[in-house]
Structure formats: structure tokens, C-alpha cells
Amino acid sequence: MTEKIIILADGRSRPPAIPPAFEAPTGEVRDRLARPLRDLRISITDRCNFRCVYCMPKEVFDKDYQYLPHSSLLTFEEITRLARQFVAHGVEKIRLTGGEPLLRKNIERLIEMLAALRTVDGKPLDLTLTTNGSLLARKARALKEAGLQRVTVSLDALDDATFRAMNDVDFAVSDVLEGIEAAHDAGLGPIKVNMVVKAGTNEQEILPMARHFHGTPHILRFIEFMDVGASNGWNMKDVIPSAEIVRRIGAELPMVQMDPNYTGETAARWRYADGGGEVGVISSVTQAFCRDCTRARLSTEGKLYTCLFATQGHDLRALLRGGHSDEELAAAVGALWQARGDRYSELRTINTDGLSGSGARKVEMSYIGG
């Protein structure tokens, strides 16, 4: 009998050290590769109602899987307090993720709290959320009224049978499309639609997706199948390079490359030559963009990860619940970012197999957020 391994949340992290002498944040902290801290992605739940084959495969995340107890999760007040320290160091954009973030009860209250924060320049944050769309139709207007600005919706196929097979819970495409339209009507735009492309699974959906969203205000983005975590069975042969995706679309719907919106943007941008909208490709496997990465990630129970492919986090919750001041929290965050030297995707691009055999288990995407 083969032993079944259930991959649990990261229990290896320790509270970070607080520098013995520290100054107030200046709004500009840089890591060892001179990358500033601009984006914070906050996972607010490790639960999801989908079992996507590339993220939470059912054979691992089954009825026996042990999710985090509610007492382990950061409260909304704790999330906001930590977010304030990141903003003091220069964060301008916060994205709420999961799991499926809309499963977190009273999420609208958290959005209200985060929407009240201001950048070091006194501007509102760019406050966004990534969702599978399953609850979006019923929640879109309330999210907008709470202060959410935009949403990104995951949709991996237009063909209903393919989509149901990929989400593995028999959820219909039509319900996600209804959620996208509800979000558009509520003013949560421009909406980005993310499609993870896996060879032999949904690559035949590249052109149907492009055709469907051509001529709409929504931005379709194709994501290379990534080696996040240890449960999705990643193999390089399952990756369709973004250059090939652009070639396939461009053969039918000619496109012109665009400049990035800002330094560190994950997607390379393209526009249809006929004015039919925008497409993005996220190429963290074949065209690593580590050198411009400005993102930090906060897990559901308060562990800071400085890379999507990290093997260990830093326990900020221990500082929060240990009676430390805001000044001490800010100092710890600043020191962690200054020590950051992550460039996993660049190293993997140099040697695709060189990191897979290191024995270090990467944290799961469902735990850290995408």
C-alpha cells in the first residue's frame, strides 16, 4: 500500500528578530537586489470550494485534510495592523487571496478596514482580490461598496466539460461568467481573467478564450503552469510557453506588444491590432521576472513569505500576539525585506531540474495565495 502524504501548512517558521536599533519607516525599503517593497498579497483563508488539479488536487485535499483552526487565522484587526506596517515601507497595492477569499465570513468588513489605509503619499491603496468566481455574482456589489476596486477571476476553460474537470467539483462555466458580469456591473474593473494553461489538459481552450473576451473590457491573462508547492505534480513537459500562446492567438487575432504599466508587473502586455482589447501572459517558468519582483506574501495565519516559491516563512503573528509595538513590527518587516535575495524562477530557468531535487518542500499555493 502506498502511503498517503497530507501536506500541511508550514510549521517550520520562527518569529523574526527585531533589530536592536531601528528607525521609523521611510516609505522606501529595498532588498539585497535593490528591489523595493510595493505589493502585499494577503491570503485570508486556506479553504477553497474548488479542487483545481494544479492547485488543490482532490487526492491530497480530501475530506481528511486538516485546515487551519479559526483561532490560528489572523483576525481582521491583525491583518489591518500588519498591512499598515507594510504600507509604511512603501506598499501601494494589496491583493486579497486564498484559498478562495470570498469564503471568509464578513470579508466586506476587512475590505472597509483596508480601504481606509493610505500610502506614504496620502493616496488610497490599490485594493484588489483574486477569486474563482463561484460567489462573485452574489457578492460583487457589496465588495464594491466596501471599497474594493478591482477583481481578478480565475477561469481555465470556456468548454464546460473541460472546466468542470479542471475544478473537479462540477462547477459550471456559466456561473463564473455570471460572476464576471456582476463584477463589471458593480464597477469592479478593469476585470482580469486568469487562465492557467496546462499542456494536454486545457491548451485547446486558448483560442476560444481569446475569441470570447476579444472586444470586451476584460483583460485575459494566460499563466504558465508553475511548480508551486509539492502537490500538483508539476513537470516541465506540461508547460506551454507564453511565446507559443502569443503565437497561437496572433495567428488568428494579430497583436502588438505594449509597455508595462509599472516596473515589476507580472504580465507582459499585448493588445489586439484591431482595437479589440488587451491580453497578458505571465511567464514565470520560461521568462522569469524575479529581478523586478516587488511582492511580499502574508499567509492566512500571519507568516511572511518573500517569494511565491518559498520553503519557509517568518512568523509575524507571534510578534502581533506577543505584545510588540507597531514600531517593532515595522522594524521586523523592514529587516526581513532588506535581507531578501529570492530569485527562484531565474535559478529554475537556468537549471529546471536543479531545484526540484533539493529536498526543500515549497509552500502550497492554496496556503500562500497566488
Side-chain angles (χ1 to χ4, degrees):
M1 180 181 295
T2 301
E3 182 182 2
K4 183 175 183 179
I5 300 174
I6 302 295
I7 299 173
L8 302 176
D10 175 27
R12 297 158 290 170
S13 58
R14 295 178 294 179
I18 297 172
F22 50 85
E23 299 177 356
T26 64
E28 184 70 20
V29 63
R30 291 183 178 263
D31 69 8
R32 287 160 47 197
L33 300 179
R35 297 169 295 190
L37 175 58
R38 292 288 181 263
D39 307 82
L40 177 62
R41 301 190 174 190
I42 305 174
S43 175
I44 62 173
T45 179
D46 61 336
R47 298 171 184 266
C48 187
N49 53 350
F50 281 14
R51 287 295 175 267
C52 296
V53 295
Y54 57 81
C55 183
M56 294 184 73
K58 190 176 288 184
E59 60 269 22
V60 173
F61 297 87
D62 61 10
K63 62 181 178 60
D64 296 321
Y65 182 78
Q66 297 297 307
Y67 293 98
L68 292 168
H70 187 74
S71 60
S72 293
L73 275 58
L74 291 183
T75 66
F76 291 168
E77 290 76 15
E78 288 173 329
I79 291 172
T80 304
R81 186 183 173 201
L82 275 179
R84 188 177 293 112
Q85 313 317 316
F86 281 89
V87 170
H89 281 297
V91 161
E92 299 170 343
K93 175 181 177 180
I94 290 180
R95 177 177 296 279
L96 300 180
T97 70
E100 170 47 48
L102 296 185
L103 292 177
R104 183 77 184 257
K105 188 177 180 181
N106 299 322
I107 185 177
E108 296 85 358
R109 174 59 184 147
L110 173 61
I111 290 170
E112 288 177 353
M113 296 166 72
L114 294 174
L117 299 179
R118 292 294 179 267
T119 69
V120 292
D121 296 327
K123 300 176 182 177
L125 293 172
D126 183 6
L127 187 55
T128 71
L129 177 146
T130 297
T131 174
N132 61 28
S134 60
L135 301 173
L136 192 53
R138 72 182 76 166
K139 284 183 170 284
R141 194 155 300 278
L143 296 171
K144 177 65 176 180
E145 291 173 353
L148 191 69
Q149 296 175 354
R150 297 181 290 107
V151 292
T152 296
V153 182
S154 299
L155 180 62
D156 296 321
L158 273 182
D159 176 73
D160 202 56
T162 302
F163 182 65
R164 289 175 189 264
M166 290 197 73
N167 66 57
D168 208 14
V169 292
D170 209 30
F171 197 85
V173 169
S174 59
D175 291 334
V176 178
L177 295 177
E178 181 184 355
I180 291 172
E181 290 311 303
H184 175 70
D185 292 343
L188 290 169
I191 295 168
K192 295 176 181 177
V193 179
N194 282 355
M195 175 183 173
V196 174
V197 182
K198 184 177 181 181
T201 301
N202 67 334
E203 63 178 294
Q204 73 281 1
E205 290 294 293
I206 293 171
L207 272 172
M209 287 282 285
R211 295 179 190 125
H212 181 86
F213 290 103
H214 176 264
T216 74
H218 313 319
I219 300 171
L220 177 61
R221 304 195 304 179
F222 297 92
I223 304 174
E224 293 178 344
F225 178 47
M226 293 184 291
D227 53 327
V228 178
S231 66
N232 69 1
W234 185 84
N235 192 299
M236 187 65 194
K237 66 180 178 59
D238 295 324
V239 177
I240 303 292
S242 59
E244 171 61 15
I245 293 171
V246 169
R247 187 197 67 77
R248 292 187 192 185
I249 297 172
E252 179 175 322
L253 299 166
M255 298 190 296
V256 178
Q257 189 159 15
M258 304 168 66
D259 292 332
N261 283 309
Y262 55 88
T263 301
E265 187 170 22
T266 58
R269 302 170 63 214
W270 296 77
R271 62 174 175 84
Y272 292 112
D274 64 2
E278 182 179 330
V279 168
V281 289
I282 298 176
S283 319
S284 66
V285 176
T286 63
Q287 299 175 42
F289 40 81
C290 299
R291 68 189 60 191
D292 294 325
C293 180
T294 61
R295 289 170 295 283
R297 290 172 167 83
L298 188 64
S299 76
T300 310
E301 88 287 37
K303 292 173 182 174
L304 172 64
Y305 293 86
T306 54
C307 179
L308 176 60
F309 304 95
T311 59
Q312 187 170 336
H314 308 276
D315 190 0
L316 297 182
R317 186 188 65 185
L319 299 184
L320 277 172
R321 298 182 182 179
H324 291 280
S325 67
D326 284 353
E327 291 77 14
E328 289 173 318
L329 287 171
V333 168
L336 288 170
W337 190 261
Q338 288 174 326
R340 175 187 188 239
D342 304 284
R343 58 188 192 100
Y344 175 88
S345 290
E346 287 184 348
L347 295 175
R348 186 234 291 112
T349 299
I350 294 169
N351 180 7
T352 301
D353 297 323
L355 298 176
S356 61
S358 65
R361 195 189 75 213
K362 299 189 295 296
V363 68
E364 293 296 318
M365 181 180 289
S366 59
Y367 166 78
I368 196 177

